Amino acid sequence: MTKPLIRAEDGADARAIREVTEAAFAVAQHSAGTEGAIVDALRAADALTVSLVAVIDGEVVGHVAFSPVTIDGAQIGWLGLGPLSVRPDLHRQGIGTALVQEGLERVRALGGKGCVLVGDPGYYRRFGFVPDPAMRVAGVPAEYVMRLPLDGALAAGEVAFHEGFKAS
């Protein structure tokens, strides 16, 4: 496989991102089927702090989004990671890993204090994310709420993702 180019999303990528996201989550075990709408809503609200695409031979094959979160109602410089999507026929080839690694580097460069996500611990531990019962997301089992402090400081409390996550 050709190594993907990881770059910032541009205006021409929106449709391809939606298609890749919908395809990726159509085969995901735990999906509400709203992930494509979430990315569109985050973009419309100008809430995509970092939005990267993976491109192979000029085609968008993956995407990752980072957007602001609040913890106990306050914005303290933490971002939510997700959705992360890779075209299903290209799973397990390192594209998602490359997107997350580059995204975390960019979040650090922007001065992000940390990242939180709801996801598979088996996948996200490789990046340093760990479940933390002190970080809670309503209705989500604690083992799937994972955090990664980027400045050494831990955060604790009720995490609220951007309103875009309520899109359907």
Side-chain angles (χ1 to χ4, degrees):
M1 180 191 85
T2 304
K3 183 178 178 185
L5 166 71
I6 308 296
R7 64 164 171 78
E9 151 182 358
D10 67 34
D13 294 326
R15 182 185 183 112
I17 290 169
R18 177 73 181 244
E19 290 170 359
V20 166
T21 302
E22 288 181 347
F25 283 94
V27 298
Q29 185 177 3
H30 301 287
S31 170
T34 60
E35 292 82 5
I38 289 168
V39 175
D40 289 345
L42 292 170
R43 185 181 301 107
D46 197 26
L48 289 170
T49 305
V50 173
S51 181
L52 302 177
V53 292
V55 179
I56 296 176
D57 297 329
E59 182 181 356
V60 172
V61 298
H63 175 257
V64 68
F66 293 82
S67 57
V69 298
T70 60
I71 300 175
D72 280 346
Q75 287 194 347
I76 60 169
W78 279 60
L79 298 175
L81 187 166
L84 166 65
S85 55
V86 174
R87 210 173 69 192
D89 63 312
L90 296 173
H91 283 184
R92 301 194 183 285
Q93 296 188 35
I95 296 169
T97 296
L99 283 163
V100 172
Q101 288 173 335
E102 178 65 21
L104 289 170
E105 285 181 27
R106 292 186 186 210
V107 168
R108 280 186 185 95
L110 292 171
K113 305 293 184 194
C115 284
V116 61
L117 61 84
V118 172
D120 176 7
Y123 182 79
Y124 287 101
R125 283 184 196 276
R126 73 184 76 187
F127 306 107
F129 284 90
V130 295
D132 184 352
M135 306 257 316
R136 300 172 307 281
V137 175
V140 177
E143 64 266 26
Y144 297 106
V145 179
M146 304 185 72
R147 57 108 175 119
L148 176 65
L150 299 175
D151 69 352
L154 295 179
E158 186 71 26
V159 176
F161 288 86
H162 188 275
E163 287 293 313
F165 278 81
K166 296 178 181 170
S168 57

